[in-house]
Amino acid sequence: MISEKMSQALNEQVNREMYSAYLYMSMSAHCNQVGLKGFANWFMVQYHEEMLHAMKIYEYIQRQGNEVKLAAIKAPPTSFESPLDMFNQTLEHEQFITRSINDLMELAIAEKDHASQIFLEWYVTEQVEEEENDNDIIAQLKWIKDNPQGLMMLDRELAARMTTVPTDFSKGVESAATAAGA
Ligand code: FEO
C-alpha cells in the first residue's frame, strides 16, 4: 500500500502525463496542417510515449490498492509560431514534468516509501532522455533558422521515428509491452 498523500500526488501525475499527450497531439495536428508530416509523426510518437507514462502510473496506483481518480485535462494550445516555438514549448513542458517527478521522488523518500522510489526511478531516467531529445532538435532548428531546405531535411528525418511503446493497454501495461516486443 501507499499513503493517501502519495496516491493523490500520483493521480495528479497521471493528469500531467495525459496533458502531455494532449499537448503533443495538438502539435502533431498543427504540423499536419502546415504540411510538416515528419514533425507530425514525431509528435504523434511522443503522444504514444506519454500515454504509456500515464498508464504505468494508473496501473501502479491500482496495484497498490489505491483509487484512480481522473480529473479534467486542460485544453492545450492549438496554434504555434514555428517548429522552433513548438520544441521550445516542448522542452519547457518537459522541464516542468521533470520537476514534478523530482517532487514525487522527494515525497517517496520522506515517507520511506521504497516501492514508489523504485517505481519512480524509471521516470527519472526517462526525463533525461526526454529533455535530451528536445535539446538535440532545438539545436538543429537553430542551425536551420529560416532555411526551407534544411527544414525539409529535418522533416524527413523525423518521419522515420517509430513507436516503440505498446499502445494497447487492455490487458495491462506489462502484457502490452510483451506483446509489442518492447
Ligand atoms: Fe511523460 Fe514527456 O514526460
Side-chain angles (χ1 to χ4, degrees):
M1 62 159 282
I2 54 176
S3 73
E4 199 43 47
K5 190 175 176 183
M6 175 58 78
S7 177
Q8 191 184 327
L10 287 168
N11 268 294
E12 287 166 8
Q13 190 64 27
V14 170
N15 189 271
R16 288 188 202 101
E17 301 290 351
M18 293 295 288
Y19 174 77
S20 305
Y22 221 28
L23 175 64
Y24 301 140
M25 196 180 179
S26 182
M27 289 180 176
S28 181
H30 176 79
C31 291
N32 253 317
Q33 201 166 10
V34 298
L36 293 171
K37 303 284 181 186
F39 280 87
N41 172 68
W42 193 95
F43 281 115
M44 193 49 80
V45 170
Q46 197 59 30
Y47 155 84
H48 284 301
E49 295 248 344
E50 299 302 345
M51 292 303 290
L52 173 69
H53 298 174
M55 284 307 300
K56 280 172 79 83
I57 303 170
Y58 169 99
E59 198 171 273
Y60 177 72
I61 294 168
Q62 291 186 320
R63 289 185 68 205
Q64 287 286 13
N66 291 70
E67 193 182 353
V68 168
K69 294 175 190 163
L70 299 178
I73 305 165
K74 73 174 176 179
T78 53
S79 66
F80 306 92
E81 283 174 20
S82 63
L84 183 57
D85 174 40
M86 278 184 279
F87 274 94
N88 280 332
Q89 287 195 42
T90 297
L91 177 61
E92 200 175 306
H93 180 67
E94 288 303 328
Q95 289 168 339
F96 161 71
I97 295 292
T98 300
R99 287 194 293 276
S100 68
I101 295 292
N102 287 341
D103 288 345
L104 282 166
M105 184 62 100
E106 288 295 320
L107 178 61
I109 291 167
E111 292 193 345
K112 296 187 169 60
D113 176 350
H114 294 269
S116 294
Q117 286 176 52
I118 291 166
F119 173 73
L120 289 165
E121 269 174 16
W122 184 88
Y123 287 85
V124 172
T125 307
E126 180 72 9
Q127 282 311 116
V128 176
E129 189 185 314
E130 296 270 87
E131 290 188 31
E132 183 184 17
N133 288 343
D134 299 336
N135 276 318
D136 286 350
I137 295 172
I138 286 169
Q140 291 187 64
L141 285 168
K142 282 182 177 169
W143 278 112
I144 289 168
K145 287 199 178 117
D146 294 325
N147 179 337
Q149 209 176 355
L151 193 62
M152 286 303 107
M153 278 176 69
L154 181 57
D155 191 63
R156 273 199 294 276
E157 192 183 310
L158 299 185
R161 187 182 188 197
M162 307 273 285
T163 301
T164 56
V165 299
T167 54
D168 174 7
F169 302 111
S170 55
K171 305 290 184 293
V173 171
E174 283 308 318
S175 85
T178 307

